[in-house]
């Protein structure tokens, strides 16, 4: 009477690509899955910059986890922030948003908590330079981008106006490159003819990168072509620079020769690094697993934590083979872990094959009509790269109800430069807030 | 050489329907218009509840003012919070969001600042019961509505679960009625099959109203029909009640017999009253104009402030004839004031005819397939009211790029119950915010 046996309890922490794909791989397994996430939505992170820049709405890139998984009868979603793992009692401890905590028992644990923005020990930078990891971050960046042009328009002092029209981006990876392109497009295309005092095209976009190239992992010739496209677009690259100081009025960088330069900029956005959230350290403490410098957890070739075959780590926070923090890696590791649990439940005695990443390539959007795509021996840039980007993203959005909406939003934006989602909220300056509220802060947390 | 004369300076405070229609009426006038607003967007307020309930995105109901007015070459938009009017020097003083203030000179002033939520002297209620006047309010309500179901799902205590599944609405006007209908629809339709522990349909919706009917201004038979439709939908009406206390766990009301009742509810929304923003009192002080109890400014039949033919008050904050706070009144008074300025600039000596409101009717949406519409002798309810509502709103959205988007969103929502814009943000509980940030608070300010 197998039906009457309590099903094996699988807890998945994190509803990003890794967690979602793990849950999906368990769909037809006789298990009881609890998906714990501190956000109620699954975020389509590769398009987060388009939410920040006003092309897409929150709902177009963030679907409620329980809506995505509504047909998965064996999955229960729990909105709570996992704070600790008790590996002896096999319990995940989590805090509920409005107070109170829960302990969720597991037989198998899949840790898919992702990475959060890192300020390399300078957490005080976060207040002046939001990162780009969460929906909050995207809304904060949207607010700062469009507010900067408003402030420049109303500035009576020329120097202040210049500062509002200077945008500094720290980090030359895909997100930094994408945001740089977006700001130049907003300035040259979206805001065209809307201002009376300023010319939005005067907006300076500075991109700071520690290494000697943008999009380094794409290799040559793509990295070089991306740099050329960015320069053609009017983005000023400052390669081989490291940020030493940062405040509300600008930042100071040091270059490879040791020269220090100060840049006045009222908008600074940070995409330079990632670090593991606190729950990763808690897991490492509890299991004795080692973490790399960024906090990624070292795992066995089958993604289990050494000595804990019941705990698997997947996605960005998983430290195997120094794999890049890509959606594709998260999906493949998540699905692998889900399948491994299913096979184990189904009693397949054979030890699973080690996880092997199938590199399907990577893509970075630069601007309308320009993207770089690397897929095996294939190196695409310019218009062909952009068409490949478009095809990939429409294909990947499949299954989300918002695909039609995104395609419509892109059509309008690509054709006319108009961006529908430009509305932003502002704190009340005349009557400053004095009450508690539910709105989030800019913070470096995952 | 008329071209070399400095054009007459018109300052409009407020970019709602009244301010926008005033600016539009001045499009071809030889004037220099400055539109001052503390928000960068024009809000399509009649559909704000649909943004709160997850049908529409922010961008679908809020367009940047400068995008709406981009072709109005004589209009300059200024993001600043008007704090005072110097009627002698003819200056509007305003505060810019990131510090600094500006003084904007005018020859003609059009005051279109609208009304904000009033808590009838109990501003401390605002922290526990957001109003429904701004985009911030809508996002806060969206967060609270969907979070409540999440909290109910994860609650381990039956009483706590009941409290999360109890929604209290204060105010039986169109906004309160619309929100009540939305919550029952979300519970019965949108969230269908998404939860494992709770049945969302168990959600209680209580609607508190001080008078003896909902939608009183619609008169009979519509008010009675609306009440019946709400009851059929499962909304519990508590008529003739006044809120005497309110906190994070519920509210206490007193009925007409003097009986006091406590209701436990973790979600309380407030739509009960409005009051003029502080700038209205500043204007009254400066001009000697009188204000009614809610702060509306008394004006002459031509909408000018007594003794100040250069200052016109329009929209909700205008106190003439006790006109209702409807978009239609705002549009008509705004357009009237704009035309009056244009005629005066064009040198038409004739005194303008007094403002006369043409009542085109009013509408309130209750739920899918049910609305009430009153237009002159025409009283529509049920499906015919709903079709009229749909027609009116599609017609009014004309000119907004988002009309197609709204129609698509409505089609999906009406057909399947699905709502795309359910994503909400949450503060960080594990690492509570400690830094300054730009996110707004729940507050009773306009």
């Amino acid at each position: 009477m197998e039906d009457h046996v309590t099903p094996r309890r699988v807890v998945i922490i994190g509803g990003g690509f890794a967690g979602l794909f793990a849950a999906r791989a368990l769909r037809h397994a006789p298990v009881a899955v609890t998906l714990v996430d501190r956000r109620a939505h699954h975020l389509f992170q590769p398009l987060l910059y388009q939410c920040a820049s006003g092309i897409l709405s929150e709902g177009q890139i963030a679907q409620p986890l329980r809506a995505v998984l509504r047909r998965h009868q064996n999955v229960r979603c729990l909105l709570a922030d996992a704070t600790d793992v008790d590996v002896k009692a096999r319990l995940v401890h989590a805090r509920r948003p409005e107070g109170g905590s829960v302990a969720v028992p597991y037989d198998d644990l899949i840790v898919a908590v992702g990475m959060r923005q890192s300020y390399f020990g300078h957490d005080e930078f976060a207040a002046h330079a939001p990162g780009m990891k969460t929906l909050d971050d995207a809304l904060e960046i949207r607010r700062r981008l469009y507010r900067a042009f408003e402030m420049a328009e109303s500035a009576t002092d020329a120097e202040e106006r210049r500062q509002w029209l200077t945008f500094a981006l720290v980090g030359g990876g895909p997100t930094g490159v994408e945001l740089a392109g977006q700001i130049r497009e907003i300035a040259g295309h979206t805001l065209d003819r809307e201002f009376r005092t300023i010319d939005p095209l005067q907006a300076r976009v500075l991109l700071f990168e520690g290494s000697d190239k943008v999009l380094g992992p794409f290799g040559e010739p793509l990295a070089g072509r991306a740099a050329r496209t960015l320069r053609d677009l009017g983005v000023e690259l400052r390669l081989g620079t490291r940020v030493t100081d940062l405040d509300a009025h600008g930042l100071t960088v040091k270059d490879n020769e040791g020269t220090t330069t100060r840049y006045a900029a009222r908008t600074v956005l940070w995409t330079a690094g990632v670090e593991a959230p606190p729950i990763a350290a808690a897991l490492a403490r509890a299991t004795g697993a080692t973490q790399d410098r960024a906090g990624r957890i070292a795992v066995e070739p089958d993604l289990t934590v050494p000595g804990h075959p019941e705990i698997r780590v997947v996605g960005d926070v998983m430290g195997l083979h120094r794999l890049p923090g890509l959606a594709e890696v998260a999906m493949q590791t998540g699905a692998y872990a889900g399948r491994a649990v299913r096979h184990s439940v189904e009693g397949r005695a054979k030890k699973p094959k080690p996880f092997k990443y199938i590199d399907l390539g990577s893509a970075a959007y630069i601007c309308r009509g320009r993207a770089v795509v690397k897929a095996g021996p294939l190196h695409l840039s310019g218009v062909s790269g952009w068409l490949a980007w478009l095809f990939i993203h429409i294909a990947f959005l499949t299954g989300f109800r918002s695909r039609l909406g995104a395609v419509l939003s892109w059509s309008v934006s690509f054709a006319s430069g108009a961006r529908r989602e430009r509305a932003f909220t502002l704190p009340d300056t005349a009557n400053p807030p004095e009450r508690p509220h539910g709105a989030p802060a800019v913070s470096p947390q995952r």
Side-chain angles (χ1 to χ4, degrees), chain A:
Chain A
M1 300 304 286
E2 211 179 276
D3 281 357
H4 294 122
V5 175
T6 309
R8 207 151 110 183
R9 296 159 304 182
V10 182
V11 172
I12 301 171
I13 310 179
F17 284 116
L20 194 59
F21 274 66
R24 283 182 171 163
L26 288 162
R27 180 164 187 178
H28 300 294
V31 294
V33 178
T34 304
L35 177 55
V36 183
D37 196 316
R38 58 207 283 279
R39 300 285 178 250
H41 54 257
H42 167 72
L43 186 64
F44 193 86
Q45 205 144 3
L47 290 174
L48 190 58
Y49 71 97
Q50 294 203 359
C51 179
S53 71
I55 294 178
L56 301 178
S57 71
E58 297 102 283
Q60 282 177 305
I61 57 159
Q63 284 79 26
L65 279 163
R66 59 177 75 256
V68 175
L69 295 168
R70 72 195 295 177
R71 286 174 215 282
H72 291 239
Q73 283 305 322
N74 64 353
V75 179
R76 183 177 170 230
C77 294
L78 189 66
L79 178 67
D81 194 1
T83 51
D84 208 355
V85 180
D86 182 338
V87 296
K88 286 223 179 67
R90 299 203 172 175
L91 286 174
V92 171
H93 292 285
R95 205 171 300 161
R96 296 167 68 219
E98 290 297 289
S101 57
V102 283
V104 192
Y106 66 83
D107 299 305
D108 289 277
L109 175 63
I110 298 177
V111 178
V113 295
M115 297 287 270
R116 63 183 194 182
Q117 207 77 63
S118 162
Y119 291 81
F120 305 123
H122 286 282
D123 280 6
E124 72 279 10
F125 289 178
H128 310 297
M132 256 291 279
K133 297 294 280 179
T134 67
L135 208 49
D136 301 331
D137 291 338
L139 294 179
E140 180 62 28
I141 291 176
R142 186 193 285 175
R143 176 183 297 126
R144 290 184 185 224
L145 290 184
Y146 289 104
R147 189 182 60 189
F149 289 98
E150 296 288 340
M151 294 303 291
E153 173 84 351
S154 67
T156 46
D157 174 73
E159 173 54 27
E160 190 203 325
R161 177 171 300 143
R162 254 193 304 276
Q163 293 182 6
W164 282 116
L165 285 178
T166 305
F167 298 83
L169 297 155
V170 185
T175 307
V177 165
E178 281 155 353
L179 281 173
Q182 291 292 300
I183 299 173
R184 285 297 298 170
E185 278 205 349
I186 288 170
H189 219 68
T190 306
L191 301 183
D192 187 30
R193 286 199 305 267
E194 289 189 9
F195 289 83
R196 307 295 179 243
T197 308
I198 61 163
D199 174 4
L201 258 180
Q202 299 298 316
R204 281 183 78 186
V205 179
L206 297 153
L207 182 58
F208 298 91
E209 161 61 30
S211 77
D212 62 348
K213 54 181 69 162
V214 293
L215 301 182
F218 282 78
E220 291 302 343
L222 292 183
R225 286 192 206 151
R228 209 157 47 241
T229 306
L230 284 169
R231 288 203 183 95
D232 290 348
L233 202 61
V235 176
E236 302 172 41
L237 303 182
R238 296 287 183 270
L239 305 175
T241 55
R242 242 160 258 280
V243 176
T244 56
D245 199 18
L246 196 160
D247 57 43
H249 287 73
L251 74 176
T252 307
V253 302
K254 199 179 213 172
D255 67 17
N256 289 335
E257 278 83 54
T259 313
T260 289
T261 316
R262 168 82 186 174
Y263 293 88
R266 297 278 185 127
T267 309
V268 185
L269 309 180
W270 188 277
T271 65
V274 292
E275 64 184 16
I279 180 71
L283 181 72
R285 267 194 308 275
T287 58
T290 56
Q291 292 182 277
D292 70 9
R293 261 180 63 192
R296 291 181 197 90
I297 296 165
V299 291
E300 303 284 354
D302 65 354
L303 307 187
T304 59
V305 172
H308 287 276
E310 78 283 10
I311 305 180
R312 290 168 176 82
V313 183
V314 295
D316 290 5
V317 79
M318 180 271 312
L320 189 73
H321 303 329
R322 306 180 60 92
L323 289 171
L326 293 174
E328 191 52 48
V329 176
M331 293 175 189
Q332 291 184 25
T333 53
Y336 173 91
R339 277 195 309 268
V341 171
R342 197 180 72 211
H343 292 171
S344 147
V345 174
E346 287 168 354
R348 305 194 194 181
K350 218 179 71 180
K351 205 174 168 338
K353 282 185 197 164
F355 172 75
K356 195 170 176 310
Y357 175 54
I358 299 160
D359 186 356
L360 297 179
S362 44
Y365 180 96
I366 303 173
C367 66
R368 216 161 34 127
R370 298 280 181 277
V372 292
V373 173
K374 187 184 169 190
L378 206 64
H379 292 73
L380 301 173
S381 61
V383 176
S384 58
W386 183 74
L387 289 172
W389 175 92
L390 205 59
F391 176 80
I392 292 166
H393 282 78
I394 293 173
F396 265 98
L397 275 170
T398 314
F400 292 108
R401 217 182 320 248
S402 49
R403 186 165 61 132
L404 175 67
V407 171
L408 280 176
S409 300
W410 287 339
S411 310
V412 171
S413 163
F414 295 152
S416 75
R419 288 159 192 257
R420 195 185 71 193
E421 298 293 335
R422 284 169 52 185
F424 60 92
T425 59
L426 279 176
D428 213 298
T429 50
N431 310 34
E434 50 198 28
R435 303 187 189 81
H437 59 86
V442 181
S443 72
Q445 283 80 32
R446 75 176 137 106

